[in-house]
Amino acid sequence: MRIATWNVNSITARLPRLLAWLETTETDVLCIQETKCSAEQFPHDELRELGYESAVNATGRWNGVALLSRVGLDDVVSGLPGGPEYEGVQEPRAVSATCGGVRVWSVYVPNGREVDHEHYAYKLRWFEALKAAVADDVAGARPFAVLGDFNVAPTDEDVWDPAVFEGATHVTPAERAALTALREAGLSDVVPRPLKYDRPYTFWDYRALAFPKNKGMRIDLVYGNESFAKAVKDSYVDREERKGKGASDHAPVVVDLEI
């Protein structure tokens, strides 16, 4: 089974690339973040023509998540059970389902914006709720993974220059502690191999030629329980999909399982 995660940064803008990528990679399950469309605007029909069912949690603003599967889509849960609200609503940042015997979550962790911003405090609360929500699946015998844009670089090695990010979100001790707490609940970080260079970055800013200069971050992560981790045969960052006109600023992370 091939499972992947990809922050597409607008599924409308990325649809031709997405459809071509699904056809060429033969991905079975894809976790999508930052759909930037409502559930009604989501391209269900185009994806169905390729054999994919869709589970979508999106409202049309700048976030939104989805799960695509061609191996079944059962027991769908839209949203983060027990999750916090921001400005009076629970933002559409999580969706989960069972796909071909594997329980999968697609998550788009809040950005945090700035360390003294309320969105940063919301981000930390969101992590606490995520840890509680996945506890049963983590402890179960069934393969289980949380995939998505976590908006945290786990270590200094996961950013191109730690000094550039000093005092900013994505690298603070509190964010990393929240990520560590999630992992220590019984999840393994499935670190992908890079297709080029020595670091498996997954995000490069559009500005200042960050991608050609490989000034990236590893913030798109795959956290799997013991059963999932044991089934992993390969994992890589599809850096090629970050190239060219109309690319997202994130690259897909692909995981091959022997289930």
Side-chain angles (χ1 to χ4, degrees), residues 91-146:
E91 296 178 334
R93 295 184 174 275
V95 62
S96 57
T98 302
C99 308
V102 179
R103 188 68 184 171
V104 177
W105 280 61
S106 175
V107 300
Y108 182 32
V109 177
N111 177 283
R113 301 180 188 174
E114 298 175 355
V115 175
D116 59 353
H117 198 285
E118 173 56 27
H119 208 256
Y120 179 83
Y122 168 63
K123 181 178 190 173
L124 299 180
R125 294 196 303 271
W126 205 94
F127 265 119
E128 291 177 2
L130 177 63
K131 179 183 175 183
V134 303
D136 289 344
D137 283 323
V138 169
R142 175 176 56 181
F144 166 75
V146 185

Side-chain angles (χ1 to χ4, degrees), residues 30-229:
L30 177 61
C31 300
I32 293 176
Q33 301 85 43
E34 209 169 347
T35 62
K36 291 185 177 178
C37 71
S38 67
E40 293 75 22
Q41 295 167 325
F42 194 82
H44 296 276
D45 293 340
E46 292 90 334
L47 291 161
R48 191 177 297 113
E49 290 180 4
L50 293 183
Y52 291 92
E53 298 177 83
S54 306
V56 182
N57 181 15
T59 58
R61 302 184 72 186
W62 55 83
N63 38 45
V65 290
L67 269 172
L68 311 181
S69 175
R70 63 177 190 175
V71 292
L73 196 65
D74 303 312
D75 303 321
V76 174
V77 176
S78 183
L80 177 60
E85 294 184 347
Y86 185 72
E87 296 182 343
V89 298
Q90 184 180 132
E91 296 178 334
R93 295 184 174 275
V95 62
S96 57
T98 302
C99 308
V102 179
R103 188 68 184 171
V104 177
W105 280 61
S106 175
V107 300
Y108 182 32
V109 177
N111 177 283
R113 301 180 188 174
E114 298 175 355
V115 175
D116 59 353
H117 198 285
E118 173 56 27
H119 208 256
Y120 179 83
Y122 168 63
K123 181 178 190 173
L124 299 180
R125 294 196 303 271
W126 205 94
F127 265 119
E128 291 177 2
L130 177 63
K131 179 183 175 183
V134 303
D136 289 344
D137 283 323
V138 169
R142 175 176 56 181
F144 166 75
V146 185
L147 306 91
D149 180 355
F150 284 71
N151 271 314
V152 181
T155 71
D156 280 354
E157 291 188 350
D158 296 305
V159 296
W160 67 275
D161 184 354
V164 172
F165 298 91
E166 188 173 349
T169 60
H170 292 57
V171 300
T172 64
E175 290 167 291
R176 286 179 170 171
L179 194 60
T180 298
L182 175 65
R183 187 173 62 249
E184 290 180 346
L187 296 169
S188 297
D189 184 357
V190 180
V191 180
R193 57 184 174 89
L195 294 186
K196 186 178 181 180
Y197 302 113
D198 61 344
R199 301 293 181 194
Y201 299 144
T202 65
F203 166 83
W204 301 260
D205 199 291
Y206 285 130
R207 298 168 294 183
L209 298 176
F211 181 66
K213 295 178 179 179
N214 200 36
K215 294 181 176 181
M217 306 175 72
R218 185 172 78 95
I219 57 175
D220 301 270
L221 310 175
V222 178
Y223 274 17
N225 70 353
E226 183 178 1
S227 296
F228 185 96

Side-chain angles (χ1 to χ4, degrees), residues 4-40:
T5 182
W6 189 6
N7 179 324
V8 295
N9 189 13
S10 174
I11 196 167
T12 302
R14 237 58 66 190
L15 185 58
R17 294 185 68 130
L18 171 63
L19 296 176
W21 187 84
L22 288 170
E23 285 193 285
T24 56
T25 62
E26 298 186 342
T27 298
D28 296 300
V29 179
L30 177 61
C31 300
I32 293 176
Q33 301 85 43
E34 209 169 347
T35 62
K36 291 185 177 178
C37 71
S38 67
E40 293 75 22

